[in-house]
Amino acid sequence: MPLLGQTAPDFVADSTQGPIHFHKWIEGSWCLFFSHPKNFTPVCTTEIAQTAKLSRLFEKRGVKLIGLSVDTVESHKRWIKDIETVQNVTVTFPLIADPTLEVAELYQMVHEDELATTTVRGVFIIDPAKKIRLALYYPAVVGRNLNEILRVVDALQLSDRYSVATPANWSHGEDCFIADTLQDQKEIEKLFPKGFRGERPYLRYVSDPSISRE
Ligand code: BEZ
């Protein structure tokens, strides 16, 4: 199973947009790679539709979207057409066909005690260096919150850019912390010349730097 910080496993697979060589396809972008259990099922339909509805927001953050299930390319294409009709949205991102579970195994998307022969709802955020930055598994009966995935992308990109960490329930624009891994005083003064606030030495609050500095 790929762990946080490790390189996302590479693969070649068929998709609704032709064969995909994953590492080449990522091509220096962020990526949201997700699996769903089965086409033409209710929860999965709403998830693909919601992802499509938010695709401009992912694009704005430089995140490419790609889904996967055990269904065939033909099934994916029929389902996408149906989603476009019943959910009134255009699906512009590719869906990978993984009937042999070859790719699913690389990402440990098959949890046999949850679903015997198909993938669970896997979520992987991969950065431009192809490192896994978030790995989540959701059960079959619970649809994912795509706004939460966007929130994590925002938090990761903010952290990478400004050496900050984000508190529980943080969202864009709210205060964050100087990353706990940053302890060098000179470096802190250089990166945070206005200093920080906090009632404890380990609670080093700063304003969201993407707002206070831009
Ligand atoms: C659903 O999308 O509703 C679903 C798919 C597979 C198993 C259970 C639920």
Side-chain angles (χ1 to χ4, degrees):
M1 164 175 164
L3 300 176
L4 300 191
Q6 292 182 342
T7 300
D10 196 17
F11 57 83
V12 177
D14 277 340
S15 84
T16 49
Q17 297 181 9
I20 283 186
H21 182 163
F22 191 51
H23 277 194
K24 278 196 191 144
W25 181 85
I26 289 179
E27 235 187 348
S29 290
W30 287 78
C31 171
L32 171 61
F33 179 33
F34 56 96
S35 60
H36 66 272
K38 198 88 191 92
N39 293 354
F40 297 100
T41 54
V43 177
C44 300
T45 295
T46 59
E47 288 186 325
I48 297 293
Q50 269 307 309
T51 308
K53 283 176 185 166
L54 296 180
S55 62
R56 298 253 320 263
L57 296 179
F58 283 105
E59 198 182 319
K60 213 172 125 193
R61 291 156 172 82
V63 181
K64 289 175 112 173
L65 304 168
I66 187 162
L68 172 147
S69 80
V70 299
D71 300 277
T72 62
V73 166
E74 290 66 36
S75 168
H76 283 334
K77 286 183 175 170
R78 276 189 290 113
W79 186 44
I80 283 175
K81 266 196 185 150
D82 210 41
I83 291 172
E84 293 185 343
T85 306
V86 291
Q87 299 273 324
N88 195 27
V89 67
T90 306
V91 178
T92 55
F93 52 84
L95 291 182
I96 290 168
D98 188 32
T100 60
L101 293 169
E102 210 174 302
V103 180
E105 301 286 3
L106 291 176
Y107 285 81
Q108 216 163 326
M109 290 164 166
V110 184
H111 300 196
E112 283 161 8
D113 295 331
E114 169 74 7
L115 285 174
T117 55
T118 68
T119 53
V120 295
R121 303 184 192 283
V123 183
F124 298 89
I125 295 177
I126 299 163
D127 72 14
K130 302 182 187 70
K131 303 286 181 217
I132 304 255
R133 302 294 297 275
L134 174 94
L136 284 171
Y137 298 103
Y138 278 63
V141 295
V142 180
R144 287 160 282 195
N145 182 333
L146 274 303
N147 287 310
E148 165 61 4
I149 309 296
L150 273 173
R151 189 191 76 90
V152 178
V153 169
D154 281 348
L156 285 169
Q157 294 184 344
L158 191 78
S159 175
D160 285 1
R161 183 152 183 208
Y162 296 105
S163 302
V164 293
T166 52
N169 296 342
W170 175 88
S171 65
H172 174 67
E174 293 178 359
D175 285 356
C176 36
F177 297 118
I178 296 176
D180 200 61
T181 45
L182 189 56
Q183 294 295 341
D184 182 273
Q185 282 316 308
K186 281 214 169 82
E187 190 70 3
I188 291 169
E189 279 161 30
K190 195 171 111 202
L191 293 175
F192 300 93
K194 289 188 188 157
F196 54 86
R197 310 174 292 283
E199 66 271 30
R200 295 283 185 280
Y202 63 87
L203 295 172
R204 304 178 298 178
Y205 281 102
V206 291
S207 303
D208 179 337
S210 73
I211 288 181
S212 59
R213 295 189 205 170
E214 319 260 292

